Amino acid sequence: MTPTATSYESHPCFGMASRSRVGRLHLPVAPRANTRSKFADSTKIKPAMLPEEALRWMDQVVKDGNEIGIVGITGPGDPLSVPEPTLHTLRLVREKYPDISLCLTTCGLGAAPVAVELAGIGLSHVTLLVDAVDPAITEKMYAWIRPSTKTLPLDEAAKVLVDGQVAAVKAFKEAGITVKINTTVYPGYNADHVETIASTMAGLGADIMAVVPFWPGEAVGEFPAVPDMDLLEAVRDKAARHLYLMPAWEACGESLVGLTGTDRREAQAIALPKPTKERPNVAVVSASGMDVDLHLGHAVKALIYGPREDGLACLLEARDLPEPGSGEARWEELAGLLSDCFVLLTASAGQKPREVLSRSGLTVFITDGEIAPTVDVLYGGGKKGKKCKK
């Protein structure tokens, strides 16, 4: 039997009329992704705030007269890849704003073990990103999947992701949390599979579904075609046989960070540092040399990027860092070694080093992006343009 819309029409995230009346603020505190789509735009910098920084930003948004009804955590990484910042942020918001609804968006890896804890904090609903329930189809749409800190072979990881999403829906429903499924339609990859996704998720107890088209944006690469309207309508009609669908084109996600364009610009201004004459360079800690994929506490070397004489930003050197184990003194020494850098890129860092380095004028920037495009954006690039050649 086709589900009805009765219970969702007045929901502040799911109902059309209520969505336009309820202010939503998404707090970017998730530092690490555990998946990357083959079609993701790697030219966009996606910084993470500390939970306390995010709460201060929220306080300012409220102080400016914005009425917030829902607070969500949707990025820049996956909120449950490193759950501690997410849980801490939700607790901070719940304590200070007890009447505000809380939600998050996740791929589902690592979700089941924290479902009860999230319910205890008062999570209203969770959005689960499910683009396939068949590992063979999942494998075709991801560049990598990291169920833990180690990247598995994609065929193995795809099965772990699918199984993890099944476990997540079950755990969230058992904990009493509403589950929304978000599925992006990629023609040639999963368009014929969307009904199976809807049927499978409905069988697990999911409550509602959003079916949205893939948009390539400004990214450069090989992409599936954007679904035409007839295909999208046919896909949605089939999915609607199993789950109530949100209205076409309506999706709740990372694009909703802040309430207005001004709020989004303020968040970017808070998070995006800029080079100066005294600090022209970027420091990066990386295990692979390609991605920002290393915890600052584990780093013994930093890659230093900076402008050459012709103005292009390139890798200048690899610089030894202080050995781990000396506590705060290590971060004081590190601040001196990186005194020519305006930002340090790392996949994760504790609060103490961030505080010490920040006092010295060095911003610790939490991201899991590729090094080259991230550095390019920090120097004002990020789109098509000249590339550094050694």
Side-chain angles (χ1 to χ4, degrees), residues 41-44 217-220 372-374 376-387:
D41 185 351
S42 63
T43 67
K44 292 183 178 179
E218 296 179 343
V220 178
T374 303
D376 190 30
V377 171
L378 285 166
Y379 285 106
K383 298 182 181 181
K384 295 179 181 180
K386 294 182 179 179
K387 301 297 182 182

Side-chain angles (χ1 to χ4, degrees), residues 139-369:
E139 182 182 352
K140 295 177 181 178
M141 295 190 292
Y142 285 88
W144 49 257
I145 298 169
R146 294 178 184 145
S148 61
T149 56
K150 184 178 180 180
T151 303
L152 294 177
L154 201 50
D155 58 341
E156 296 177 27
K159 186 177 187 309
V160 173
L161 175 58
V162 169
D163 291 345
Q165 291 176 330
V166 169
V169 177
K170 291 180 178 178
F172 283 129
K173 292 308 301 176
E174 289 175 2
I177 297 173
T178 298
V179 175
K180 176 167 78 76
I181 305 299
N182 261 29
T183 297
T184 301
V185 180
Y186 298 94
Y189 289 84
N190 70 344
D192 294 335
H193 184 60
V194 173
E195 183 177 8
T196 302
I197 297 172
S199 175
T200 301
M201 293 294 112
L204 294 170
D207 300 281
I208 189 170
M209 187 175 190
V211 176
V212 298
F214 165 73
W215 293 104
E218 296 179 343
V220 178
E222 296 295 328
F223 296 111
V226 174
D228 61 44
M229 294 302 297
D230 289 340
L231 172 62
L232 189 63
E233 184 177 353
V235 169
R236 286 177 54 81
D237 285 347
K238 291 179 180 179
R241 298 171 185 171
H242 309 279
L243 275 172
Y244 170 66
L245 294 192
M246 289 182 66
W249 314 107
E250 291 294 333
C252 185
E254 195 172 336
S255 62
L256 294 175
V257 172
L259 296 177
T260 66
T262 300
D263 289 329
R264 286 191 289 272
R265 288 192 293 273
E266 287 176 353
Q268 291 166 355
I270 290 169
L272 193 60
K274 297 182 182 300
T276 64
K277 182 179 180 180
E278 296 76 19
R279 292 179 174 271
N281 297 330
V282 174
V284 184
V285 296
S286 171
S288 66
M290 300 295 292
D291 297 317
V292 185
D293 57 7
L294 190 61
H295 191 293
L296 180 57
H298 301 157
V300 295
K301 285 185 179 292
L303 303 177
I304 307 299
Y305 287 78
R308 302 183 312 192
E309 292 181 1
D310 60 7
L312 290 180
C314 295
L315 177 62
L316 303 178
E317 63 173 306
R319 192 174 296 175
D320 289 333
L321 302 182
E323 290 291 332
S326 56
E328 185 169 336
R330 183 189 184 204
W331 309 123
E332 298 285 0
E333 184 180 354
L334 179 61
L337 288 172
L338 300 180
S339 61
D340 59 336
C341 298
F342 68 95
V343 65
L344 169 62
L345 304 181
T346 178
S348 185
Q351 185 163 348
K352 177 54 68 174
R354 293 183 73 169
E355 291 174 351
V356 172
L357 296 174
S358 178
R359 287 199 302 266
S360 76
L362 179 63
T363 298
V364 179
F365 193 104
I366 307 297
T367 181
D368 67 346

Side-chain angles (χ1 to χ4, degrees), residues 32-36 77-78 80-82 106-110 144-148 161 368:
R32 185 187 304 161
N34 44 21
T35 65
R36 179 177 292 170
D78 189 288
L80 300 181
S81 179
V82 184
T106 176
C107 75
L109 285 174
W144 49 257
I145 298 169
R146 294 178 184 145
S148 61
L161 175 58
D368 67 346

